[in-house]
């Protein structure tokens, strides 16, 4: 199955599902923002923390929502079709937000690069774009890009990226089992792969090189900052006068980038907003036909 087919099949499978019921918002008040950025959901893989993501989408509201790449994982879907009901629910939730007035902008990444053939199209109210310039409420211009074009492995040795992807998926499998156990013990979510990356000097160096390269290009484009994803490492810091923001991911970090009404930016760690015991995704889920 080609990745283009995977994208269309995922969208088709979602479209034929009955509409998601209206939310009961009485349990917790929604957090309201001017803009939200999320990336690296990796829908179509067991590693996607769909339950946490649905909780985030339910209890946040914004004027504009950026989906900054790797939303649907075409690499994994090509190897093995995995599309549980929870992943349908995520797409339904995004489509519903678009219907209710949120501007939703999808910027494809390398795992959903098949969507780049649909640039400047609109799917169910969701705009598809290669990149974007966002102006914050306080007048700063932020360049929005997934970031894979600044990854030397992706650009120069794609076969190595595929190998790394398989090893990463294995680590995430261990992570799911570990967090299922932690949830039963009443302990909060903890990312094994994030911990390991932080301990490996080469990984730390790779992250730093990536961040510097993206910040340099943002400067060249006349932007005051950049928002990206790709490396699964939530961060917000100044790099030589350029505000570098990475919104993290939804397989490890459970993070998003948020803009408040006054233009202030912050990284949201959604694991801190969820009740203990609900963060970890079960090791096995029922797959939608």
């Amino acid at each position: 199955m080609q990745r283009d087919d995977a994208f269309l099949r995922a969208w088709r499978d979602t479209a034929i599902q009955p509409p998601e019921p209206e939310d009961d918002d009485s349990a917790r008040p929604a957090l309201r923002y001017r803009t939200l950025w999320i990336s690296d959901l990796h829908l179509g893989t067991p590693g996607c923390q769909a339950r946490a993501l649905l909780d985030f989408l339910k209890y946040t509201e914004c004027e504009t929502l950026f989906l900054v790449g790797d939303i649907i994982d075409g690499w994994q879907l090509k190897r093995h079709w995995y599309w549980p009901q929870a992943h349908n629910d995520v797409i339904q939730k995004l489509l519903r937000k678009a219907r209710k007035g949120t501007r939703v902008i999808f910027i494809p990444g390398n795992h959903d690069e098949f969507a780049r053939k649909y640039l400047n199209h609109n799917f169910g109210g969701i705009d598809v774009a290669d990149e974007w310039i966002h102006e914050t409420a306080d007048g700063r211009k932020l360049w929005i890009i997934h970031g894979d074009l600044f990854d030397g492995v992706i650009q120069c040795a794609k076969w190595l990226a595929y190998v790394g992807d398989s090893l990463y998926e294995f680590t995430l499998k261990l992570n799911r089992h570990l967090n299922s156990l932690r949830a039963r013990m009443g302990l909060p979510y903890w990312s094994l792969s994030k911990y390991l990356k932080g301990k490996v000097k080469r990984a730390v160096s790779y992250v730093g090189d990536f961040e510097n390269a993206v910040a340099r290009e943002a400067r060249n484009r006349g932007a005051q900052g950049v928002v990206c994803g790709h490396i699964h490492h939530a961060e917000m810091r100044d790099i030589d006068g350029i505000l570098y923001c990475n919104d993290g991911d939804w397989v490890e970090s459970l993070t998003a980038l948020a803009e408040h009404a006054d233009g202030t930016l912050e990284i949201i760690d959604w694991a801190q907003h969820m009740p203990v015991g609900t963060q970890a995704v079960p090791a096995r889920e029922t797959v939608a036909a």
Side-chain angles (χ1 to χ4, degrees):
M1 180 177 60
Q2 299 298 314
R3 288 183 206 141
D4 291 0
D5 296 334
F7 173 72
L8 293 174
R9 181 177 172 185
W11 214 266
R12 181 205 67 197
D13 285 356
T14 302
I16 63 177
Q17 297 296 318
E20 180 192 8
E22 293 292 313
D23 289 335
D24 177 9
D25 295 328
S26 59
R28 286 151 51 197
L31 302 176
R32 303 187 184 279
Y33 302 96
R34 184 172 185 262
T35 313
L36 286 170
W37 291 264
I38 57 175
S39 74
D40 298 273
L41 314 186
H42 291 276
L43 294 167
T45 72
C48 173
Q49 298 280 349
R51 183 161 56 182
L53 182 56
L54 285 167
D55 190 76
F56 169 82
L57 293 172
K58 180 176 181 179
Y59 292 110
T60 57
E61 297 291 343
C62 60
E63 298 173 18
T64 305
L65 172 62
F66 284 97
L67 308 175
V68 194
D70 287 0
I71 305 305
I72 296 175
D73 195 321
W75 291 12
Q76 290 290 331
L77 288 174
K78 182 182 179 182
R79 292 197 287 263
H80 172 69
W81 185 257
Y82 178 85
W83 197 258
Q85 182 60 47
H87 294 205
N88 267 339
D89 294 342
V90 169
I91 298 294
Q92 287 280 3
K93 184 74 75 174
L94 293 171
L95 292 170
R96 182 181 170 211
K97 282 185 175 291
R99 288 197 306 269
K100 295 185 72 174
T102 298
R103 186 172 192 188
V104 183
I105 301 168
F106 170 33
I107 297 174
N110 52 299
H111 282 262
D112 45 23
E113 60 191 352
F114 47 79
R116 285 173 173 155
K117 69 184 295 183
Y118 304 106
L119 296 178
N120 304 316
H121 285 68
N122 183 287
F123 288 91
I126 298 177
D127 293 314
V128 184
D130 192 39
E131 58 184 274
W132 203 269
I133 295 292
H134 171 76
E135 185 169 341
T136 62
D138 55 6
R140 291 175 292 174
K141 291 184 179 180
L142 303 178
W143 180 43
I144 318 300
I145 193 76
H146 177 66
D148 57 299
L149 297 179
F150 298 89
D151 185 335
V153 173
I154 296 293
Q155 298 304 314
C156 302
K158 205 164 189 176
W159 65 270
L160 185 58
Y162 289 134
V163 172
D165 185 58
S166 297
L167 293 174
Y168 181 58
E169 186 65 25
F170 174 73
T171 304
L172 292 178
K173 184 176 181 179
L174 292 178
N175 194 64
R176 289 195 298 276
H177 288 292
L178 174 62
N179 276 290
S180 292
L181 177 61
R182 287 176 62 87
R184 288 195 292 270
M185 297 173 63
L187 297 174
Y189 175 81
W190 179 76
S191 174
L192 170 64
S193 48
K194 183 178 179 181
Y195 171 80
L196 292 175
K197 283 195 295 186
K199 293 296 183 181
V200 179
K201 288 185 178 180
R202 183 168 294 181
V204 173
S205 176
Y206 163 79
V207 169
D209 292 345
F210 173 88
E211 293 174 342
N212 289 329
V214 173
R216 281 196 302 270
E217 183 60 24
R219 181 190 302 279
N220 292 339
R221 291 169 177 262
Q224 286 76 54
V226 59
V227 180
C228 61
H230 186 59
I231 59 174
H232 295 202
H233 182 74
E235 182 76 271
M236 186 168 65
R237 66 187 182 96
D238 182 273
I239 301 179
D240 296 329
I242 297 296
L243 179 62
Y244 169 86
C245 303
N246 192 302
D247 56 26
D249 65 276
W250 289 84
V251 294
E252 302 175 70
S253 307
L254 312 186
T255 53
L257 180 70
E259 178 194 1
H260 293 273
D262 62 356
T264 302
L265 299 173
E266 72 163 322
I267 292 174
I268 303 172
D269 181 353
W270 197 250
Q272 303 301 317
H273 292 266
M274 296 181 65
V276 172
T278 64
Q279 297 99 330
V281 173
R284 301 181 67 88
E285 296 184 21
T286 301
V287 179

